[in-house]
Amino acid sequence: MFSNYLIGLREGLEASLVVCILIAYLVKTGRRDALKPIWFGIGIAVAIAMGFGSALEYGSDELTFQAQEALGGSLSIVAVGLVTWMVFWMRRTARHLKSELHGKLDQALSMGTGALVATAFLAVGREGLETALFVWASVHAASDGTPRPLIGVALGLATAVFLGWLFYRGALKINLAKFFTWTGGMLVVVAAGVLAYGFHDLQEADWVPGLTNLAFDISDTIPPDSWYGTLLKGVFNFQPDPTVLQITMWALYLVPTLALFLAPVGFASGKGKVKAPHEQGSRPSKAPQA
């Protein structure tokens, strides 16, 4: 449940920040007339993301067991690739996010309503599709027959929306560099578990050999149905009887990816801090003295 809460929080807050930056800029510049197409574009993006997630969940029910495992394993690997790219991209561009969005919005304002809808759709839609895919893969990997993984995602998204509202109202200041570094690092750990589980699915689909070649089996020490087994499963996608391939892929992904992600990237203290939207702006400079 915790890993899915983290996914919902991390991805949801990123989308919430994008939305409140767009809305705040239009309000600040007196272009409230452009709010309707922006909200329309955001609505389309959310609807498509939800439809994509529903298609993944219910469309796979009609497949055979092997086809379901092959689909789940393949999409898990794709989801890990997308999320890995996303966390590195966001850590690099967090402090430039506001200016980048403002530039795109200025261009859209000069082009008309259709461009505004497209800008909002593209800004939120990418996040929505990535979130839907990774949430589906993570819930599929952590599924224990209960609704807890989905509850975790829902709570994470609700928290993200609330924090985004506080950010917009000026009640919250976020150091984006630190936030996305810490949550991104934890998300890499979650992604490693999803990747390992994805390869296990491919083994069950007979796409990859080695299903019976176990690295170890500590099911007697950490029963999967125990509270601590459930906790490890929910947080790290831990499996007490992984195959050699699962452990190998988990280590090959986690160790270099986490080391590279946590390496210094030149963020000076405080550079990633973003003010609330109503505080953003620059003071007029004094005229030069003769």
Side-chain angles (χ1 to χ4, degrees), residues 26-165:
L26 292 176
V27 172
K28 188 179 182 67
T29 56
R31 292 302 306 269
R32 291 180 177 270
D33 59 298
L35 289 176
K36 187 174 181 179
I38 289 293
W39 281 117
F40 185 64
I42 292 171
I44 294 175
V46 172
I48 290 179
M50 293 180 66
F52 179 59
S54 297
L56 289 175
E57 178 62 26
Y58 298 109
S60 61
D61 291 342
E62 304 300 322
L63 302 176
T64 64
F65 172 76
Q66 285 191 328
Q68 287 182 0
E69 296 304 296
L71 177 65
S74 301
L75 290 182
S76 294
I77 295 172
V78 172
V80 168
L82 288 174
V83 167
T84 303
W85 171 83
M86 179 269 297
V87 296
F88 276 94
W89 176 85
M90 181 51 71
R91 190 189 177 202
R92 185 177 66 252
T93 62
R95 55 178 172 173
H96 306 299
L97 181 62
K98 178 176 70 72
S99 59
E100 181 178 322
L101 288 173
H102 286 180
K104 292 180 179 179
L105 199 52
D106 284 334
Q107 292 179 356
L109 285 169
S110 65
M111 296 173 65
T113 302
L116 287 170
V117 173
T119 298
F121 170 76
L122 293 174
V124 179
R126 186 198 65 186
E127 308 296 339
L129 291 176
E130 286 179 356
T131 301
L133 179 57
F134 194 57
V135 163
W136 181 84
S138 181
V139 169
H140 176 72
S143 179
D144 54 3
T146 72
R148 282 180 295 186
L150 289 176
I151 292 174
V153 173
L155 289 175
L157 290 173
T159 303
V161 171
F162 178 66
L163 291 177
W165 178 78

Side-chain angles (χ1 to χ4, degrees), residues 190-205:
V190 173
V194 172
L195 180 67
Y197 197 87
F199 274 94
H200 184 265
D201 278 353
L202 294 180
Q203 289 179 312
E204 290 192 324

Side-chain angles (χ1 to χ4, degrees), residues 9 41 45 75 105 126 133 206 213 238 252 258 263:
L9 174 63
L75 290 182
L105 199 52
R126 186 198 65 186
L133 179 57
D206 288 333
N213 188 16
F238 173 79
L252 287 177
L258 196 58

